[in-house]
Amino acid sequence: MTALEVSDLHAYYGESHVLQGVTLRVDEREAVALLGRNGAGKTTTIATIAGFVPPRGGSVRIGERDLTGAAPHRVAAAGAALVPQGRRVFADLSVRENLLLAARDGAWTLDRVLELFPSLRHRLAHLGDQLSGGEQQMVAIARALLRNPALLLLDEPSEGLAPKLVQEVGDALVRLRDSGLALLLVEQNLALATRVAQRVYVMNKGAIVFSGTTDELASARDVEARYLGI
């Protein structure tokens, strides 16, 4: 079964043709990474999937539902949860309030996300703006999990984090992958992405220029050098 299927997706900002026929898929119980340099179109892809950017062509299916051009709340109701770039933790709400804001009944409970991120257990009464960047990222991921999604979309979760915190976030994502949750991870950190993902897509100038397993990417030195700057 397929958790997410994107076919020939086109999207624009004004007259700028940003996504030029993007096709990708995430199967159930699979972790997939979308890689590329700044400006390649990765964030626009995830924003279009999540319903924030209306496409001008192509399709987006989540599970069995066609959600092409659907509003964000409909995409969320279909089982997709977004961990946005920049975390967007509410500064004047406590950690507990941030976490429970949009919680839904299901396997992911407050206790379970605190098992995934135990350092948050002692920060539940702290306000969002009293947290470090790493703690805010943990809150953003935990908040998305409390929606009990079938598909988790993550936009640059390692951005701005110290190496130790990137390791902790990576540990959590590996555990989520191993639990069977479908993941689409947008990243520039190649080491994190290939540690978490089983398959990867590489974007350049709004188009997919490579797709394959992490091992196949490691063997494609020309792709890494040309499109990822490695």
Side-chain angles (χ1 to χ4, degrees), residues 107-128:
W108 284 101
T109 63
L110 181 60
D111 280 342
R112 188 176 175 194
V113 297
L114 292 176
E115 289 174 9
L116 185 66
F117 298 116
S119 62
L120 294 181
R121 191 176 295 276
H122 306 292
R123 306 286 275 169
L124 288 174
H126 288 71
L127 297 179

Side-chain angles (χ1 to χ4, degrees), residues 64-162:
E64 299 299 315
R65 299 180 63 179
D66 185 346
L67 291 160
T68 309
H73 70 274
R74 286 190 56 213
V75 176
L82 173 65
V83 180
Q85 187 176 26
R87 296 139 201 166
R88 299 183 193 171
V89 171
F90 292 100
D92 55 350
L93 297 182
S94 70
V95 169
R96 182 187 295 274
E97 290 168 335
N98 267 284
L99 291 176
L100 296 179
L101 193 63
R104 298 168 63 179
D105 289 339
W108 284 101
T109 63
L110 181 60
D111 280 342
R112 188 176 175 194
V113 297
L114 292 176
E115 289 174 9
L116 185 66
F117 298 116
S119 62
L120 294 181
R121 191 176 295 276
H122 306 292
R123 306 286 275 169
L124 288 174
H126 288 71
L127 297 179
D129 64 359
Q130 295 175 317
L131 304 179
S132 69
E135 289 168 337
Q136 289 185 356
Q137 188 62 70
M138 293 173 193
V139 168
I141 296 172
R143 180 176 59 192
L145 290 171
L146 283 167
R147 291 196 57 78
N148 278 282
L151 170 69
L152 190 62
L153 309 168
L154 301 111
D155 192 2
E156 303 280 7
S158 75
E159 185 178 51
L161 299 187

Side-chain angles (χ1 to χ4, degrees), residues 31-36 42 156-158 166 170 173-174 177 183-202 213-214 217 228:
V32 172
L34 182 59
L35 306 173
K42 306 184 305 298
E156 303 280 7
S158 75
V166 172
L173 295 181
V174 168
R177 178 200 68 200
L183 307 175
L184 178 61
L185 170 65
V186 166
E187 257 299 337
Q188 288 196 72
N189 185 319
L190 180 63
L192 172 64
T194 54
R195 179 185 168 207
V196 173
Q198 293 132 325
R199 286 192 306 110
V200 297
Y201 293 91
V202 178
T213 66
T214 52
L217 177 63
L228 301 176

